[in-house]
Amino acid sequence: MPAFTSIKAKAIGIAVDQGVNMLYDDFDGNLPKVESLINKFAGSGDSINDAQLRLFNMVMGYMKDPTNNWRRLVDNIINNVDKDVVKTFVHNFFVNSVTIGGARQREVNDTEGCNCPWAILMDPTTRCNLHCNGCWAANYTNANHKDLTFEELDSIITQGKDLGTYIYLFTGGEPMVRKNDLIRLCEKHPDCFFSAFTNGTLVDEKFADEMLRVKNFMPAFSIEGFEEATDSRRGKGTFERVTHAMDILRERKLPFGASMCYTSANYDSITSDEYIQFLVDKGVLFAWIFTYMPVGLGAPVELLATAEQRAGMYDKVRKNWRNNVPIFFADFWNDGEYTGGCIAGARRYMHINAAGDVEPCAFIHYSDSNILEKTLLECYKSPLFKSYQAHQPFNSNMLRPCPLLDNPGMLSEMVHETGAKSTDYVHPEDVDELESKTQAAAAAWAEKSAPIWAASPKGRLSDRLAKETGDPNAWVKY
Ligand code: SF4
């Protein structure tokens, strides 16, 4: 922690607590005081960089307008989420992760020459209590399941914090199969923010009480449309159980989100106004939107969203939901412009599966390193991650960020060049065969997305800087 002494970190923590208390007491009356508190802190040297300060000033503008959608989301949080949970979130996310962790990540980048991530996604287990269509975990059975032990998960987090990473997400398998260990990790690392992509069916009152006790766990429930759409992919009765889990958390003023994977089949259901209103009514505060990837042998290619559907999601999120719906939406793939393209390979995030294989991304099942054999830093420096680092961004059109979904040839080049192996231990998938499944969709999206990107503010900036500098990716460094 080079730029932040423990005294300074403590001072920031006290200021954050004070700020949240003041906003809960009287939001409009105390907002100017909180603003000046943060400005004073920002002016004290190395605490906030220029980009963070610009973002802060923009957010303050939104907060002063009660009709602004971001302000409505904050009102929603203050009215419906436990104050101490919010304090913990703000402290762990904005102070520990973005500010303190960000400085440490940049230092590791500079001194070690490798990417160092903002978040690590881990599979505590391959086990799952459901059998969803199109999910690779459905291929694993009780006879061949794998788990990372509590000690192994704890070691990853301990190493990660030392390198500046304070955000840990769990997927699987169904991570709640290990819910007691997840709570133990939250308890052991109270300075980290934890989340899980969960089917929600194992969340009960006892677990919700534990969440309220540790305060640093915020699940995202996988839910894809109403009852028929959710149950047809995840099994009968799943919709009722996941909505019941939402109710349990809401009763305790615990925050949660939704994870929505859209396919060619459920697109209409997921994007309907009724469905989005249903999420608001249930108390969903954030929504991760993913597009389906045909990863795994036998994964149906016809479920890939069409280019029209992908463009439709872009419009829905930007022109409608982000202006009118008090939920924080992250539209993965289509939001590449905000992240400078693909974030995998530890550029911003990475994935560790339940066998310990360190993968660039949860959707990229190839690896040349295992966390049970190497340190985390050694994994960041692996040939596959270094190859990601060398190739990113994979396209100057940020609507085409993905080496697998949008740029066929990229993933296979990196896998062949580094000798990475398939990590699917039941049905290893040849990377060239995998890429052949996305070629037609990638070509259609290349054509459809080109004018959308060219007309967008970042697309125009990118075009201007490319002409001025000769570097098609100059805007990413801008
Ligand atoms: S590899 Fe593809 S899915 Fe993974 S982070 Fe990069 S763009 Fe997203």
Side-chain angles (χ1 to χ4, degrees), residues 3 9 34 39 50 58 98 110 116 170 190 194 217 225 253 271 282 308 326 341 376 379 397 407 411 417 420 467:
V34 172
N39 272 320
D50 287 350
M58 191 174 77
V98 175
D110 292 344
C116 184
F170 300 107
F194 293 94
F217 184 80
K253 298 192 121 187
T271 55
K282 291 309 288 181
E308 288 67 32
L376 197 54
C379 294
N397 174 348
N407 299 283
L411 180 65
E417 169 190 298
K467 282 181 184 137

Side-chain angles (χ1 to χ4, degrees), residues 15-16 18-20 22-23 26-42 48 51-72 74-75 78 90 94:
V16 163
Q18 257 180 15
V20 174
M22 286 159 73
L23 295 176
D26 175 3
F27 191 91
D28 288 310
N30 286 330
L31 188 64
K33 292 180 204 157
V34 172
E35 185 177 13
S36 84
L37 192 75
I38 297 178
N39 272 320
K40 202 167 124 197
F41 162 68
I48 295 182
Q52 288 166 340
L53 196 55
R54 275 199 302 276
L55 183 66
F56 168 71
N57 288 329
M58 191 174 77
V59 171
M60 277 300 145
Y62 296 157
M63 291 305 113
K64 288 171 188 164
D65 173 6
T67 63
N68 180 278
N69 196 45
W70 293 104
R71 167 63 191 269
R72 289 173 63 220
V74 169
D75 286 343
I78 287 181
V90 174
F94 292 104

Side-chain angles (χ1 to χ4, degrees), residues 293 333 342-344 349 361 363-364 388 401-403:
M293 297 268 253
W333 291 270
C342 171
I343 59 173
Y349 117 109
C361 167
F363 297 101
I364 305 294
Y388 256 75
C402 188

Side-chain angles (χ1 to χ4, degrees), residues 137-158:
N139 289 331
Y140 303 135
T141 65
N142 282 340
N144 60 22
H145 77 71
K146 292 193 186 295
D147 287 325
L148 285 171
T149 65
F150 173 82
E151 289 72 24
E152 287 160 355
L153 293 163
D154 178 43
S155 167
I156 294 166
I157 296 168
T158 304

